[in-house]
């Protein structure tokens, strides 16, 4: 049932630990009520509360409890690890409310860590090429965005960065620009203290992070607009 986010249940993380230990459909079905009460339903509340707050802040990100949450079940069709359940639950808020858009907000509650990202993750080739060209041809705009992020306490993540400069950009020699052009994703991350997931204050924390990440959203959206207009 929809409502304002009040925090995840105190048994949210213990549930994930127990599920990871058992990795059993029978155990999950026996404890499904606990999963829904402590983790899934509060996650739905979080998504919908953030949607309202993001709208008020003009961030252009939205979601709902049915479409935005990822399944707790793993897709094991092509995986060596056949464990049926994830060690986390997560959700995406995006410009159109789907999981398919770019320039998204992602939130993750899991055993290893709890985190939030603002991300252009695995952009399709035309958009990724446009981002790389924008870095090469408009370095001042890229550097202004990166500087604004640093001022807000954020840095672009380096996960998945190519070891070599992609073809067509060999002439770029400035280290900050070559590093950026080698990125496959453009992401900033906020680590959430697991102890802080149990109160409504998590909403303010995540809104503050997303506002601080806005320079990345705005930079990517401007480039995306040129791709869509082409």
């Amino acid at each position: 049932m929809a409502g304002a986010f009040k925090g995840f249940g105190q048994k949210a993380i213990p549930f994930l630990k127990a599920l990871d230990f058992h990795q059993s459909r029978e155990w999950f079905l026996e404890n499904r009520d606990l999963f829904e009460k402590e983790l899934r339903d509060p996650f739905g509340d979080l998504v919908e509360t953030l949607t309202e707050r993001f709208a008020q802040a003009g961030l252009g990100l939205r979601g709902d409890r049915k479409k935005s949450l990822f399944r707790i079940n793993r897709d094991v069709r092509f995986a060596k690890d056949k464990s049926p359940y994830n060690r986390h639950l997560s959700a995406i808020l995006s410009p159109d409310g789907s999981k398919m858009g770019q320039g998204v907000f992602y939130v993750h509650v899991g055993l290893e860590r709890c985190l939030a990202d603002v991300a252009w993750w695995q952009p399709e080739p035309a958009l990724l090429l446009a981002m790389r060209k924008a870095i090469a041809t408009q370095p001042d705009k890229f550097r202004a965005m990166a500087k604004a992020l640093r001022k807000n306490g954020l840095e672009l993540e380096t996960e998945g960065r190519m070891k070599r400069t992609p073809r067509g950009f060999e002439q770029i020699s400035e280290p900050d620009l070559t590093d950026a052009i080698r990125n496959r994703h453009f992401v900033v991350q906020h680590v959430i203290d697991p102890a802080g997931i149990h109160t409504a204050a998590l909403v303010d924390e995540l809104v503050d992070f997303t506002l601080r990440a806005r320079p990345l959203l705005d930079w990517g959206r401007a480039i995306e607009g040129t791709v869509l207009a082409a």
Side-chain angles (χ1 to χ4, degrees), residues 5 20 23 36 41 49 62 68 78 82-83 88 97-98 101 105 107 116 141-142 156 160 171 189 203 209 216 222:
F5 178 73
D20 186 52
Q23 286 292 347
E36 293 176 355
D41 291 349
T49 302
R62 60 187 174 91
S68 298
F78 307 107
K82 299 299 182 181
S83 302
H88 64 271
S98 77
F105 170 88
V107 58
K141 289 186 178 180
F142 171 77
L156 287 171
Q171 77 282 7
Q189 187 169 103
V203 172
F209 160 64
L216 176 59

Side-chain angles (χ1 to χ4, degrees), residues 146-204:
K147 182 179 179 180
L149 289 176
R150 287 194 297 271
K151 183 179 178 181
N152 293 342
L154 299 171
E155 291 275 358
L156 287 171
E157 296 288 310
T158 62
E159 180 182 352
R161 180 177 287 171
M162 299 171 67
K163 293 182 179 180
R164 295 184 178 180
T165 303
R167 186 177 300 174
F169 297 93
E170 295 89 350
Q171 77 282 7
I172 304 300
S173 59
E174 295 92 334
D176 63 326
L177 300 183
T178 56
D179 282 349
I181 286 168
R182 290 173 182 174
N183 283 336
R184 291 187 174 95
H185 325 288
F186 295 88
V187 183
V188 289
Q189 187 169 103
H190 169 72
V191 176
I192 301 167
D193 182 348
I197 69 171
H198 304 296
T199 74
L202 179 62
V203 172
D204 289 336

Side-chain angles (χ1 to χ4, degrees), residues 11 20 32 37 44 46 60-62 64 121 143 152 158 168 176 187 203-204 207 221:
K11 296 180 181 178
D20 186 52
R32 188 181 186 94
K37 178 184 176 183
L46 177 62
L61 296 165
R62 60 187 174 91
D64 67 61
W121 185 261
R143 285 171 169 148
N152 293 342
T158 62
D176 63 326
V187 183
V203 172
D204 289 336
V207 171
R221 286 170 179 170

Side-chain angles (χ1 to χ4, degrees), residues 5-23:
F5 178 73
K6 298 179 178 65
F8 290 97
Q10 293 294 329
K11 296 180 181 178
I13 299 298
F15 171 84
L16 289 173
K17 289 180 179 178
L19 178 62
D20 186 52
F21 175 79
H22 290 280
Q23 286 292 347

Side-chain angles (χ1 to χ4, degrees), residues 74-91:
R74 296 180 64 243
D75 183 352
V76 299
R77 289 174 297 174
F78 307 107
K80 291 182 180 179
D81 179 3
K82 299 299 182 181
S83 302
Y85 296 102
N86 284 311
R87 297 162 59 85
H88 64 271
L89 195 64
S90 58

Side-chain angles (χ1 to χ4, degrees), residues 21-36:
F21 175 79
H22 290 280
Q23 286 292 347
S24 156
R25 183 173 183 271
E26 291 75 20
W27 186 91
F28 179 79
L29 292 176
E30 288 175 4
N31 293 275
R32 188 181 186 94
D33 289 347
L34 186 65
F35 166 68
E36 293 176 355

